[in-house]
Amino acid sequence: LDLPTEAQWEYACRGSTTSIFAAGAQLTSLRGFANIADDGSKALYPPSWTCETGFRDGFAIHAPVGSYRPNALGLHDFHGNVAEWTASADLPYPFRSNDPRHADTETRKIARGGSWYHRADLSRSACRLSFQSWQRVFNVGFRVACESE
């Protein structure tokens, strides 16, 4: 088991689509599909915090895994809920090297998918968030990857 690279994560997230979200190109396509910052979360945060108004996904913070519809590959929770660490270093994307992973703990790492704390634009299939590899982040988790036959 390993963390997926950004390319592996994005392929799995998109589920054979080319739209900005695996469920479609519009915010409305995320209904029943994603847990993002919405009206249900608004009461938890200061007035300056921004969310998707007119959108409610049923959870103010993270939701149990599998609470929403899967993508075309049968995988759940790529958009929102918790952003996910990848094995990829914060390098220009797409990468020009064969292996973008770095063992250096000082190299920033990429998290993908956005979270319950992020608006839809930060939960797009191609959106990249960057953190120090040693950093603990309250809304970032991980998904493991394994070889399939």
Side-chain angles (χ1 to χ4, degrees):
L1 299 176
D2 200 357
L3 290 176
T5 65
E6 280 195 84
Q8 290 169 328
W9 187 95
E10 189 168 333
Y11 176 83
C13 172
R14 288 185 183 277
S16 73
T17 67
T18 57
S19 58
I20 63 173
F21 305 114
Q26 305 297 322
L27 172 64
T28 55
S29 70
L30 292 180
R31 293 193 195 286
F33 193 78
N35 180 12
I36 58 174
D38 65 5
D39 288 336
S41 310
K42 188 71 173 165
L44 299 175
Y45 301 102
S48 61
W49 181 75
T50 58
C51 68
E52 299 296 346
T53 57
F55 190 91
R56 283 190 183 266
D57 55 41
F59 291 89
I61 55 172
H62 57 82
V65 172
S67 294
Y68 301 97
R69 293 189 330 264
N71 67 12
L73 297 176
L75 302 170
H76 293 265
D77 306 321
F78 275 95
H79 300 292
N81 212 27
V82 295
E84 298 175 2
W85 286 111
T86 70
S88 299
D90 187 5
L91 300 170
Y93 188 77
F95 303 109
R96 294 189 177 103
S97 67
N98 289 336
D99 188 358
R101 294 178 274 194
H102 288 201
D104 180 2
T105 58
E106 296 304 312
T107 301
R108 294 177 69 86
K109 297 289 186 177
I110 297 296
R112 302 285 295 262
S115 76
W116 52 267
Y117 187 76
H118 296 113
R119 297 178 319 273
D121 62 329
L122 295 176
S123 299
R124 300 180 334 270
S125 299
C127 187
R128 307 170 79 216
L129 303 170
S130 171
F131 303 99
Q132 293 293 337
S133 59
W134 48 262
Q135 187 175 355
R136 292 182 183 177
V137 188
F138 70 98
N139 59 338
V140 177
F142 66 94
R143 175 185 308 260
V144 296
C146 65
E147 288 188 35
S148 65
E149 296 180 28

